[in-house]
Every structure is written in structure tokens, then in C-alpha cells.
Amino acid sequence: MDSPPIAITRVDGVGTLTLARPAALNALDFAMMDALVDATCEFADDDSLRVVVIRGEGRHFMAGGDIRAFAGELGRDADARRELFTRVVDGVNAAIENLVRMPHPVVARLQGAVAGFGMSLMNAADIVIAADDAFFAAGYRNIALSPDGGGTYTLPRLVGHRRAAEILLLAERFDAARALELGLVNRVVPLADLDVEVDKVVGALRAAPVHAVRATKRLLRDSPQRSLSEQLHAEALAFGQCSAQDDFVEGIGAFIAKRTPAFDR
């Protein structure tokens, strides 16, 4: 019996989503698409979580779409292919929306290949930690496709239009150092230190005041669609809501007493 293409665990408020097709470089086939949508939806609705981690099992994060699965559909005529792949991509794109819109901060742990939809998953995360062996490529144009997973939405917002066009239109491979320079990842560490660094970041988020963290993610997410005045008002509302929480009382008290705050766990 085949093992599930996505594995999920919950430990002490941390939800981990593992891409679990290591023999296929965690490439996205149709079964993994469905499992990814289900897993991200499940995590998005779980209010017990403080942090979500996305990782790939084995040597690679995700090498994009499963070309062999795509090849299995080439026997369909053009209209049937159009209908199938439009429906499939519309479906899996829900996973990206789930990650971006879930209240919990999302941390992506990267190693090896990060290509195609793997880059879209990375860009849907809030914080990205990469091993120094990670390498990146859009790759869509090499099989005569346009991007999916929000690639044309998140990428220009992260790196600017010109660099996004270069990454997507030229489909050139680049390394972790270049990804850090472009602002696609937050930190690059030796592969041997990857789990330690991810655990450190996750631990910091896990210990942080949950309402403040969620409000900050929400403000960052929604800011591109707002005017300055609208965003300032949203900040005022969020600030007020945070001030009504017990964590605010604890944070102020700890600051005055010069001790480490013990936020609600």
C-alpha cells in the first residue's frame, strides 16, 4: 500500500506538513495536490496551532509538478486537456490561499530542489529558512506552461517586476545565496544546521503572544490591497484588540519588572 503523499503532525502547538514523495523529489502529482489542499485546510481551521512548518522529506523540498503524471494526460485532445488542467490548478491553488490566509505564521524549511510549485509554496510562507544546498528554478517555460500557485502574484511583490520577469521568463537556476540576496529567503544555513535553525525560529514564534502574531500576519497580508489611510485604521483596530488581551497585561508587567514574559501558551 502506498504511503500518503502528505504527512501531518501536531506537537505542542506546532503543525508540521511534510511533502512525502522523496523518491520523486516530492514532485506534485494529482494525489499530492488533493492531500495538500486537505492538509492546509485542516491546519488553517485548527485554532490550537501557533506555528505551521512546511518541509520536504528526503534530500529535496519540491521539484515542481510531476511531469510523468502530466505525460499520462497527453492522450486527451486539446479541449479535454484545457478543461482538466484548468480544474486541477484551480483546485490546488486553494492550498496557497489556505497558507496565506491561515492565522498562524508559516515557516518553510528548504533543502535541495525548490522548483515550480515548490517556489510558490515557499512564497506563501511567512518566514523561509534554506539550507546552503538549496537551489531554485521556475521551470514552467521549459515545458511550455505559465506559472501557477500564485507565482505571478507573490514573486513580483517579493523581488519586484523586473527580477520576477527574469526568474519566470528565463527559468534560470540560482542558488541559496542568490535567493537570500533577492529576498526570497530569510536565512541560509549549512544543511547540517537546518533543523536547529528552523527549531529556533519556530520556538520564538511558539513562545510569542498569539494574538499579536496573528494580527501582525493579517496586517502584512492585507496591506497591499489598502490605501495608507485604510492600513493605518486597520493597525489602530488591531492595536486596540491586542491591548484587550491578557498577554498585553503580562507583557507590560514583565517589561516593568524586568523579567521574561510568560505569554499564554
Side-chain angles (χ1 to χ4, degrees):
M1 182 177 179
D2 293 337
S3 58
I6 299 286
I8 61 173
T9 60
R10 295 174 177 84
V11 179
D12 194 25
V14 179
T16 301
L17 186 160
T18 301
L19 310 171
R21 300 185 69 224
L25 282 63
N26 296 319
L28 190 70
D29 67 359
F30 299 119
M32 182 184 268
M33 292 178 188
D34 291 338
L36 185 61
V37 173
D38 290 344
T40 55
C41 185
E42 185 175 330
F43 276 177
D45 290 338
D46 188 345
D47 197 54
S48 73
L49 296 180
R50 296 296 189 91
V51 189
V52 168
V53 178
I54 307 176
R55 62 185 300 276
E57 183 179 336
R59 296 176 54 198
H60 301 278
F61 179 70
M62 177 187 277
D66 189 326
I67 305 302
R68 293 184 183 278
F70 293 174
E73 306 301 329
L74 294 182
R76 298 172 182 262
D77 63 32
D79 287 339
R81 289 201 309 273
R82 181 186 303 110
E83 190 278 331
L84 170 68
F85 283 104
T86 299
R87 174 167 44 83
V88 164
V89 173
D90 261 343
V92 74
N93 280 347
I96 300 298
E97 288 212 59
N98 289 337
L99 290 169
V100 172
R101 298 187 186 283
M102 69 173 57
H104 337 298
V106 178
V107 177
R109 173 198 180 278
L110 309 181
Q111 83 283 7
V114 185
F117 195 86
M119 288 186 66
S120 295
L121 272 181
M122 169 190 77
N123 291 340
D126 299 293
I127 295 178
V128 181
I129 313 297
D132 55 5
D133 76 333
F135 58 93
F136 306 79
Y140 293 97
R141 67 148 230 188
N142 295 335
I143 53 171
L145 287 175
S146 55
D148 62 351
T152 59
Y153 180 90
T154 55
L155 197 57
R157 284 165 170 77
L158 288 167
V159 304
H161 176 85
R162 299 284 188 205
R163 284 175 171 165
E166 179 182 353
I167 291 168
L168 295 175
L169 295 178
L170 297 183
E172 296 170 338
R173 172 170 159 170
F174 55 96
D175 62 15
R178 178 59 174 162
L180 182 64
E181 179 186 349
L182 289 169
L184 286 172
V185 305
N186 295 92
R187 302 177 187 181
V188 175
V189 298
L191 178 60
D193 298 334
L194 181 58
D195 285 326
V196 171
E197 189 67 20
V198 170
D199 287 346
K200 182 170 69 174
V201 169
V202 168
L205 292 169
R206 172 67 185 80
V210 63
H211 295 286
V213 168
R214 290 179 176 181
T216 302
K217 172 170 177 170
R218 187 171 62 249
L219 287 165
L220 287 168
R221 179 195 66 204
D222 294 343
S223 65
Q225 285 76 47
R226 293 188 178 129
S227 67
L228 174 59
S229 295
E230 290 169 338
Q231 186 69 4
L232 289 170
H233 181 60
E235 287 182 350
L237 291 175
F239 196 100
Q241 289 165 354
C242 287
S243 74
Q245 305 299 321
D246 290 342
D247 278 341
F248 175 68
V249 178
E250 169 61 16
I252 295 296
F255 183 87
I256 297 298
K258 298 182 179 179
R259 62 175 172 80
T260 301
F263 294 119
D264 181 25
R265 300 294 177 89

Coordinates of all heavy atoms in Angstrom, one line a residue, residues 156-244:
P156 N 6.5 39.0 -7.9 CA 6.8 40.5 -8.1 C 6.7 41.3 -6.8 O 7.4 42.3 -6.7 CB 5.8 40.9 -9.2 CG 4.8 39.9 -9.2 CD 5.4 38.6 -8.8
R157 N 5.9 40.9 -5.9 CA 5.8 41.6 -4.6 C 7.0 41.4 -3.8 O 7.3 42.2 -2.9 CB 4.5 41.2 -3.9 CG 3.2 41.8 -4.6 CD 2.0 41.1 -4.1 NE 0.8 41.8 -4.5 CZ 0.3 41.8 -5.7 NH1 0.9 41.0 -6.7 NH2 -0.8 42.5 -6.0
L158 N 7.6 40.3 -3.9 CA 8.8 40.0 -3.1 C 10.1 40.6 -3.7 O 11.0 41.1 -3.0 CB 9.0 38.4 -3.0 CG 8.0 37.7 -2.1 CD1 8.0 36.2 -2.3 CD2 8.3 38.1 -0.6
V159 N 10.2 40.5 -5.0 CA 11.5 40.8 -5.7 C 11.4 42.0 -6.7 O 12.4 42.4 -7.2 CB 12.2 39.6 -6.3 CG1 12.4 38.5 -5.4 CG2 11.4 39.1 -7.6
G160 N 10.2 42.4 -7.0 CA 10.0 43.5 -8.0 C 9.7 42.9 -9.4 O 10.0 41.7 -9.6
H161 N 9.1 43.7 -10.2 CA 8.6 43.2 -11.5 C 9.8 42.7 -12.4 O 9.7 41.6 -13.0 CB 7.9 44.3 -12.3 CG 7.5 43.9 -13.7 ND1 6.3 43.2 -13.9 CD2 8.1 44.0 -14.9 CE1 6.2 42.9 -15.2 NE2 7.3 43.5 -15.8
R162 N 10.9 43.4 -12.5 CA 12.0 43.1 -13.4 C 12.6 41.7 -13.0 O 12.8 40.9 -13.9 CB 13.1 44.1 -13.4 CG 12.6 45.5 -13.8 CD 12.5 45.6 -15.3 NE 12.2 47.0 -15.7 CZ 11.6 47.3 -16.8 NH1 11.2 46.4 -17.7 NH2 11.4 48.6 -17.1
R163 N 12.9 41.6 -11.7 CA 13.5 40.3 -11.3 C 12.5 39.1 -11.4 O 12.9 38.0 -11.7 CB 14.1 40.5 -9.9 CG 15.3 41.3 -9.9 CD 15.8 41.5 -8.5 NE 17.2 42.1 -8.5 CZ 17.7 42.7 -7.5 NH1 17.1 42.8 -6.3 NH2 19.0 43.2 -7.5
A164 N 11.2 39.4 -11.1 CA 10.3 38.3 -11.3 C 10.2 37.9 -12.7 O 10.1 36.7 -13.0 CB 8.9 38.8 -10.8
A165 N 10.2 38.9 -13.6 CA 10.2 38.5 -15.1 C 11.4 37.7 -15.4 O 11.3 36.7 -16.2 CB 10.1 39.8 -15.9
E166 N 12.6 38.1 -14.9 CA 13.8 37.3 -15.2 C 13.7 35.9 -14.7 O 14.0 34.9 -15.4 CB 15.0 38.0 -14.5 CG 16.3 37.3 -14.7 CD 17.4 38.0 -14.0 OE1 17.2 39.1 -13.5 OE2 18.5 37.4 -14.0
I167 N 13.2 35.7 -13.5 CA 13.1 34.4 -12.9 C 12.1 33.5 -13.7 O 12.3 32.3 -14.0 CB 12.6 34.5 -11.4 CG1 13.8 35.1 -10.6 CG2 12.2 33.1 -10.8 CD1 13.4 35.5 -9.2
L168 N 10.9 34.1 -14.0 CA 9.9 33.3 -14.7 C 10.1 33.1 -16.2 O 9.8 32.1 -16.7 CB 8.5 34.0 -14.4 CG 8.1 34.0 -12.9 CD1 6.8 34.7 -12.8 CD2 7.9 32.6 -12.4
L169 N 10.6 34.2 -16.8 CA 10.7 34.1 -18.3 C 12.0 33.4 -18.7 O 12.0 32.7 -19.8 CB 10.7 35.5 -18.9 CG 9.3 36.2 -18.7 CD1 9.4 37.6 -19.3 CD2 8.2 35.4 -19.4
L170 N 13.1 33.6 -18.0 CA 14.3 32.9 -18.4 C 14.5 31.5 -17.8 O 15.2 30.7 -18.3 CB 15.5 33.8 -18.0 CG 15.6 35.1 -18.7 CD1 16.9 35.8 -18.2 CD2 15.6 35.0 -20.2
A171 N 13.8 31.3 -16.6 CA 13.8 30.0 -16.0 C 15.2 29.5 -15.6 O 15.5 28.3 -15.6 CB 13.0 28.9 -16.8
E172 N 16.1 30.4 -15.3 CA 17.4 30.0 -14.9 C 17.5 29.5 -13.5 O 16.8 30.0 -12.6 CB 18.4 31.2 -15.1 CG 18.5 31.7 -16.5 CD 19.2 33.0 -16.6 OE1 19.3 33.8 -15.7 OE2 19.7 33.3 -17.8
R173 N 18.3 28.6 -13.2 CA 18.5 28.0 -11.9 C 19.5 29.0 -11.1 O 20.4 29.5 -11.7 CB 19.2 26.7 -12.0 CG 19.6 26.0 -10.7 CD 20.0 24.6 -10.9 NE 20.9 24.1 -9.9 CZ 21.2 22.8 -9.7 NH1 20.8 21.9 -10.6 NH2 22.1 22.4 -8.8
F174 N 19.1 29.2 -9.8 CA 20.0 30.0 -9.0 C 20.1 29.4 -7.6 O 19.3 28.5 -7.2 CB 19.5 31.5 -8.9 CG 18.1 31.7 -8.4 CD1 17.8 31.9 -7.1 CD2 17.1 31.6 -9.4 CE1 16.5 32.1 -6.7 CE2 15.7 31.8 -8.9 CZ 15.4 32.0 -7.6
D175 N 21.2 29.8 -6.9 CA 21.4 29.1 -5.6 C 20.9 29.8 -4.4 O 20.2 30.9 -4.5 CB 23.0 28.9 -5.4 CG 23.8 30.2 -5.4 OD1 23.1 31.3 -5.2 OD2 25.0 30.1 -5.5
A176 N 21.1 29.3 -3.2 CA 20.6 29.8 -2.0 C 21.1 31.2 -1.7 O 20.4 32.1 -1.2 CB 20.8 28.9 -0.8
A177 N 22.4 31.5 -2.0 CA 22.9 32.8 -1.8 C 22.2 33.8 -2.6 O 22.0 34.9 -2.1 CB 24.4 32.8 -2.1
R178 N 21.9 33.5 -3.8 CA 21.2 34.4 -4.7 C 19.8 34.6 -4.2 O 19.2 35.8 -4.2 CB 21.2 33.9 -6.1 CG 20.4 34.8 -7.1 CD 20.9 36.2 -7.2 NE 20.3 36.9 -8.3 CZ 20.3 38.3 -8.4 NH1 20.9 39.0 -7.5 NH2 19.7 38.9 -9.4
A179 N 19.1 33.6 -3.7 CA 17.8 33.7 -3.2 C 17.8 34.6 -2.0 O 16.8 35.4 -1.8 CB 17.2 32.3 -2.8
L180 N 18.8 34.5 -1.1 CA 18.9 35.4 0.0 C 19.1 36.9 -0.4 O 18.4 37.8 0.1 CB 20.1 35.0 0.9 CG 20.3 35.8 2.2 CD1 19.1 35.6 3.1 CD2 21.6 35.3 2.9
E181 N 19.9 37.1 -1.4 CA 20.2 38.4 -2.0 C 18.9 39.0 -2.6 O 18.6 40.2 -2.4 CB 21.2 38.3 -3.1 CG 21.6 39.6 -3.7 CD 22.5 39.5 -4.9 OE1 23.1 38.4 -5.0 OE2 22.7 40.5 -5.7
L182 N 18.1 38.2 -3.2 CA 16.8 38.6 -3.8 C 15.7 38.9 -2.8 O 14.7 39.5 -3.1 CB 16.3 37.6 -4.8 CG 17.1 37.5 -6.1 CD1 16.7 36.2 -6.9 CD2 16.9 38.7 -7.0
G183 N 15.9 38.3 -1.6 CA 14.8 38.5 -0.5 C 13.8 37.4 -0.6 O 12.7 37.5 0.0
L184 N 14.1 36.3 -1.3 CA 13.2 35.2 -1.4 C 13.2 34.3 -0.1 O 12.3 33.6 0.2 CB 13.5 34.3 -2.6 CG 13.0 34.9 -3.9 CD1 13.6 34.1 -5.1 CD2 11.5 35.0 -4.0
V185 N 14.4 34.3 0.6 CA 14.5 33.5 1.8 C 15.0 34.5 2.9 O 15.6 35.5 2.6 CB 15.5 32.3 1.7 CG1 15.0 31.4 0.5 CG2 16.9 32.8 1.4
N186 N 14.8 34.1 4.1 CA 15.2 35.0 5.3 C 16.6 34.6 5.7 O 17.4 35.5 6.1 CB 14.2 34.8 6.4 CG 12.8 35.3 6.1 OD1 12.0 34.5 5.7 ND2 12.6 36.6 6.4
R187 N 16.9 33.3 5.7 CA 18.2 32.9 6.3 C 18.7 31.7 5.5 O 17.9 30.9 5.0 CB 18.1 32.5 7.7 CG 17.6 33.6 8.6 CD 17.4 33.2 10.1 NE 16.8 34.2 10.9 CZ 16.5 34.1 12.2 NH1 16.9 33.0 12.8 NH2 15.9 35.1 12.8
V188 N 20.0 31.6 5.3 CA 20.7 30.5 4.7 C 21.7 29.9 5.7 O 22.5 30.7 6.2 CB 21.4 30.8 3.4 CG1 22.1 29.6 2.8 CG2 20.4 31.3 2.3
V189 N 21.6 28.6 6.0 CA 22.5 28.0 6.9 C 23.0 26.7 6.3 O 22.4 26.1 5.4 CB 21.7 27.7 8.2 CG1 21.2 28.9 8.9 CG2 20.6 26.7 8.0
P190 N 24.1 26.2 6.8 CA 24.6 24.9 6.4 C 23.5 23.8 6.6 O 22.7 23.8 7.5 CB 25.8 24.6 7.3 CG 26.3 25.9 7.7 CD 25.0 26.8 7.8
L191 N 23.5 22.8 5.7 CA 22.5 21.8 5.7 C 22.4 21.1 7.1 O 21.4 20.8 7.6 CB 22.7 20.8 4.6 CG 21.8 19.6 4.5 CD1 20.3 20.0 4.3 CD2 22.2 18.6 3.4
A192 N 23.6 20.9 7.7 CA 23.7 20.2 8.9 C 23.0 21.0 10.1 O 22.6 20.5 11.1 CB 25.1 19.9 9.3
D193 N 22.9 22.3 9.9 CA 22.3 23.2 10.9 C 20.9 23.6 10.6 O 20.3 24.4 11.3 CB 23.1 24.5 11.0 CG 24.6 24.2 11.4 OD1 24.8 23.2 12.1 OD2 25.4 25.0 11.1
L194 N 20.3 23.0 9.5 CA 19.0 23.5 9.1 C 17.9 23.2 10.1 O 17.1 24.1 10.5 CB 18.6 22.8 7.8 CG 17.2 23.2 7.2 CD1 17.1 24.7 6.9 CD2 17.0 22.4 5.9
D195 N 17.8 22.1 10.7 CA 16.8 21.8 11.7 C 17.0 22.6 13.0 O 16.0 23.0 13.5 CB 16.8 20.3 12.0 CG 16.2 19.4 10.9 OD1 15.3 19.9 10.3 OD2 16.7 18.3 10.7
V196 N 18.2 22.8 13.4 CA 18.5 23.6 14.5 C 17.9 25.1 14.3 O 17.3 25.7 15.2 CB 20.0 23.7 14.9 CG1 20.2 24.7 16.0 CG2 20.4 22.3 15.3
E197 N 18.2 25.6 13.1 CA 17.8 27.0 12.8 C 16.3 27.1 12.7 O 15.6 28.0 13.2 CB 18.4 27.5 11.5 CG 18.2 28.9 11.2 CD 18.9 29.8 12.2 OE1 19.9 29.4 12.9 OE2 18.6 31.0 12.3
V198 N 15.7 26.1 12.1 CA 14.2 26.1 12.0 C 13.6 26.0 13.4 O 12.6 26.7 13.7 CB 13.7 24.9 11.1 CG1 12.2 24.8 11.1 CG2 14.1 25.2 9.6
D199 N 14.1 25.1 14.2 CA 13.6 24.9 15.5 C 13.7 26.2 16.3 O 12.8 26.6 17.1 CB 14.3 23.8 16.3 CG 13.9 22.4 15.8 OD1 12.9 22.3 15.0 OD2 14.7 21.4 16.1
K200 N 14.8 27.0 16.1 CA 15.0 28.2 16.8 C 13.9 29.2 16.4 O 13.3 29.9 17.3 CB 16.4 28.8 16.6 CG 16.7 30.1 17.3 CD 18.2 30.4 17.2 CE 18.5 30.8 15.8 NZ 19.9 31.3 15.7
V201 N 13.7 29.3 15.1 CA 12.6 30.3 14.6 C 11.2 29.9 15.1 O 10.5 30.7 15.6 CB 12.7 30.4 13.1 CG1 11.5 31.1 12.5 CG2 14.0 31.0 12.7
V202 N 11.0 28.6 15.0 CA 9.6 28.1 15.4 C 9.5 28.3 16.9 O 8.4 28.7 17.3 CB 9.5 26.6 15.0 CG1 8.3 25.9 15.7 CG2 9.4 26.4 13.5
G203 N 10.5 28.0 17.7 CA 10.4 28.2 19.1 C 10.1 29.7 19.5 O 9.3 29.9 20.4
A204 N 10.7 30.6 18.8 CA 10.5 32.0 19.0 C 9.0 32.4 18.7 O 8.4 33.1 19.4 CB 11.4 32.9 18.2
L205 N 8.5 31.9 17.6 CA 7.1 32.1 17.2 C 6.2 31.4 18.2 O 5.1 32.0 18.5 CB 6.9 31.7 15.8 CG 7.6 32.5 14.7 CD1 7.4 31.8 13.4 CD2 7.0 33.9 14.6
R206 N 6.5 30.2 18.6 CA 5.7 29.4 19.5 C 5.5 30.2 20.8 O 4.5 30.1 21.5 CB 6.3 28.0 19.7 CG 5.6 27.2 20.8 CD 4.2 26.8 20.4 NE 3.6 26.1 21.5 CZ 3.0 26.6 22.5 NH1 3.0 27.9 22.7 NH2 2.4 25.9 23.4
A207 N 6.6 30.8 21.3 CA 6.6 31.5 22.6 C 6.0 32.9 22.5 O 5.8 33.5 23.6 CB 8.0 31.6 23.2
A208 N 5.7 33.4 21.3 CA 5.3 34.8 21.2 C 3.8 34.9 21.5 O 3.1 33.9 21.5 CB 5.5 35.3 19.7
P209 N 3.3 36.1 21.8 CA 1.9 36.3 22.1 C 1.0 36.0 20.9 O 1.2 36.7 19.8 CB 1.8 37.8 22.6 CG 3.0 38.4 22.0 CD 4.1 37.4 21.9
V210 N 0.1 35.1 20.9 CA -0.6 34.6 19.8 C -1.4 35.6 19.1 O -1.4 35.7 17.8 CB -1.4 33.3 20.1 CG1 -2.5 33.7 21.1 CG2 -2.0 32.7 18.9
H211 N -2.1 36.5 19.8 CA -3.0 37.5 19.2 C -2.2 38.5 18.4 O -2.5 39.0 17.4 CB -3.9 38.1 20.2 CG -4.9 37.2 20.8 ND1 -6.0 36.7 20.2 CD2 -4.9 36.6 22.1 CE1 -6.6 35.8 21.0 NE2 -6.0 35.8 22.1
A212 N -1.0 38.9 19.0 CA -0.2 39.9 18.4 C 0.4 39.3 17.1 O 0.5 40.0 16.1 CB 0.9 40.4 19.3
V213 N 0.9 38.1 17.1 CA 1.5 37.5 16.0 C 0.4 37.3 14.8 O 0.7 37.6 13.7 CB 2.0 36.1 16.3 CG1 2.4 35.3 15.1 CG2 3.3 36.2 17.2
R214 N -0.8 36.9 15.2 CA -1.8 36.7 14.2 C -2.2 38.0 13.6 O -2.5 38.2 12.4 CB -3.0 36.0 14.8 CG -2.7 34.5 15.1 CD -3.9 33.8 15.7 NE -3.6 32.4 15.9 CZ -4.5 31.5 16.4 NH1 -5.7 31.9 16.7 NH2 -4.2 30.3 16.5
A215 N -2.3 39.1 14.4 CA -2.7 40.4 14.0 C -1.6 40.9 13.0 O -2.0 41.6 12.0 CB -2.9 41.3 15.1
T216 N -0.4 40.7 13.3 CA 0.7 41.2 12.5 C 0.7 40.5 11.1 O 0.9 41.2 10.1 CB 2.1 41.0 13.2 OG1 2.0 41.7 14.5 CG2 3.2 41.5 12.4
K217 N 0.5 39.2 11.1 CA 0.5 38.5 9.9 C -0.7 39.0 9.0 O -0.6 39.2 7.8 CB 0.3 37.0 10.1 CG 0.0 36.2 8.8 CD 0.1 34.7 8.9 CE -0.3 34.1 7.5 NZ 0.0 32.7 7.5
R218 N -1.8 39.2 9.7 CA -3.0 39.7 8.9 C -2.8 41.1 8.4 O -3.1 41.4 7.2 CB -4.2 39.7 9.9 CG -5.6 40.0 9.2 CD -6.7 39.8 10.2 NE -6.6 40.7 11.4 CZ -6.4 40.3 12.6 NH1 -6.1 39.0 12.8 NH2 -6.3 41.1 13.6
L219 N -2.2 42.0 9.1 CA -1.9 43.3 8.6 C -0.9 43.3 7.5 O -1.1 44.0 6.5 CB -1.3 44.2 9.8 CG -2.3 44.6 10.9 CD1 -1.6 45.1 12.1 CD2 -3.3 45.7 10.3
L220 N 0.1 42.5 7.6 CA 1.1 42.4 6.5 C 0.4 41.8 5.2 O 0.7 42.3 4.1 CB 2.2 41.5 6.9 CG 3.2 42.1 7.9 CD1 4.2 41.0 8.4 CD2 4.1 43.2 7.2
R221 N -0.4 40.8 5.4 CA -1.1 40.2 4.3 C -2.0 41.1 3.5 O -2.1 41.1 2.3 CB -1.9 38.9 4.8 CG -2.6 38.2 3.7 CD -3.6 37.3 4.4 NE -4.7 38.0 5.0 CZ -5.4 37.5 6.0 NH1 -5.2 36.3 6.5 NH2 -6.4 38.2 6.6
D222 N -2.7 41.9 4.3 CA -3.8 42.7 3.7 C -3.3 44.1 3.2 O -4.0 44.8 2.5 CB -4.9 42.9 4.6 CG -5.7 41.6 5.0 OD1 -5.5 40.7 4.2 OD2 -6.4 41.6 6.0
S223 N -2.1 44.5 3.6 CA -1.6 45.9 3.3 C -1.6 46.2 1.8 O -1.9 47.4 1.4 CB -0.3 46.1 4.0 OG 0.7 45.3 3.4
P224 N -1.2 45.3 0.9 CA -1.1 45.7 -0.5 C -2.4 46.1 -1.1 O -2.4 46.9 -2.1 CB -0.5 44.4 -1.2 CG 0.2 43.7 -0.1 CD -0.6 43.9 1.1
Q225 N -3.5 45.7 -0.6 CA -4.8 46.0 -1.1 C -5.4 47.2 -0.5 O -6.5 47.6 -0.9 CB -5.8 44.8 -0.9 CG -5.5 43.6 -1.8 CD -4.3 42.8 -1.4 OE1 -4.2 42.5 -0.3 NE2 -3.5 42.5 -2.4
R226 N -4.7 47.9 0.4 CA -5.3 49.0 1.1 C -4.5 50.3 0.8 O -3.3 50.3 0.5 CB -5.2 48.8 2.6 CG -6.1 47.7 3.2 CD -6.1 47.7 4.7 NE -7.0 46.7 5.3 CZ -6.6 45.8 6.2 NH1 -5.3 45.9 6.6 NH2 -7.4 45.0 6.7
S227 N -5.2 51.4 1.0 CA -4.6 52.7 0.9 C -3.9 52.9 2.3 O -4.1 52.2 3.2 CB -5.6 53.8 0.7 OG -6.5 53.9 1.9
L228 N -3.0 54.0 2.3 CA -2.3 54.2 3.6 C -3.4 54.5 4.7 O -3.2 54.0 5.8 CB -1.4 55.5 3.4 CG -0.7 56.0 4.7 CD1 0.1 54.9 5.3 CD2 0.1 57.2 4.4
S229 N -4.4 55.3 4.4 CA -5.4 55.6 5.5 C -6.1 54.4 5.9 O -6.3 54.2 7.1 CB -6.4 56.6 4.9 OG -5.8 57.9 4.6
E230 N -6.4 53.5 5.0 CA -7.1 52.2 5.4 C -6.2 51.4 6.2 O -6.6 50.8 7.2 CB -7.5 51.5 4.1 CG -8.7 52.1 3.4 CD -8.9 51.5 2.0 OE1 -8.0 50.9 1.4 OE2 -10.0 51.7 1.5
Q231 N -4.9 51.3 5.9 CA -4.0 50.5 6.6 C -3.7 51.0 8.0 O -3.7 50.3 9.0 CB -2.7 50.3 5.9 CG -1.7 49.4 6.5 CD -2.1 47.9 6.5 OE1 -3.2 47.6 5.9 NE2 -1.4 47.0 7.1
L232 N -3.6 52.4 8.1 CA -3.5 53.0 9.4 C -4.7 52.7 10.3 O -4.5 52.4 11.5 CB -3.3 54.5 9.3 CG -2.0 55.0 8.7 CD1 -2.0 56.4 8.4 CD2 -0.8 54.6 9.6
H233 N -5.9 52.7 9.8 CA -7.1 52.4 10.6 C -7.1 50.9 11.0 O -7.4 50.6 12.1 CB -8.3 52.7 9.8 CG -9.6 52.5 10.5 ND1 -9.9 53.1 11.7 CD2 -10.6 51.6 10.3 CE1 -11.1 52.7 12.1 NE2 -11.5 51.8 11.3
A234 N -6.7 50.1 10.1 CA -6.6 48.6 10.4 C -5.6 48.4 11.5 O -5.8 47.6 12.4 CB -6.2 47.8 9.2
E235 N -4.5 49.1 11.5 CA -3.5 49.0 12.5 C -4.0 49.5 13.9 O -3.8 48.8 14.9 CB -2.2 49.8 12.2 CG -1.4 49.2 11.1 CD -0.1 50.0 10.8 OE1 0.0 51.1 11.3 OE2 0.7 49.5 10.0
A236 N -4.8 50.5 13.9 CA -5.4 51.0 15.1 C -6.4 50.0 15.7 O -6.3 49.8 16.9 CB -6.1 52.4 14.8
L237 N -7.2 49.4 14.8 CA -8.1 48.4 15.3 C -7.4 47.2 15.9 O -7.8 46.7 17.0 CB -9.0 48.0 14.2 CG -10.1 49.0 13.7 CD1 -10.8 48.4 12.5 CD2 -11.0 49.4 14.8
A238 N -6.4 46.7 15.2 CA -5.6 45.6 15.7 C -4.9 45.9 17.0 O -4.8 45.0 17.9 CB -4.6 45.1 14.6
F239 N -4.3 47.1 17.1 CA -3.6 47.5 18.3 C -4.6 47.5 19.5 O -4.3 47.0 20.5 CB -3.1 48.9 18.1 CG -2.0 49.3 19.0 CD1 -0.7 49.3 18.7 CD2 -2.4 49.8 20.3 CE1 0.3 49.7 19.6 CE2 -1.4 50.3 21.2 CZ -0.1 50.2 20.9
G240 N -5.7 48.0 19.3 CA -6.7 48.0 20.3 C -7.2 46.6 20.7 O -7.3 46.3 21.9
Q241 N -7.4 45.7 19.7 CA -7.8 44.4 20.0 C -6.7 43.7 20.8 O -7.0 42.9 21.8 CB -8.1 43.6 18.7 CG -9.4 44.1 18.1 CD -9.5 43.7 16.6 OE1 -8.6 43.1 16.0 NE2 -10.6 43.9 16.0
C242 N -5.4 43.9 20.5 CA -4.3 43.2 21.2 C -4.2 43.8 22.6 O -3.9 43.0 23.5 CB -3.0 43.5 20.5 SG -2.8 42.6 18.9
S243 N -4.5 45.0 22.8 CA -4.4 45.6 24.1 C -5.5 45.1 25.1 O -5.3 45.2 26.3 CB -4.5 47.2 24.1 OG -5.9 47.6 23.8
A244 N -6.5 44.5 24.5 CA -7.6 43.9 25.4 C -7.3 42.5 25.8 O -8.1 41.9 26.6 CB -8.9 43.9 24.6

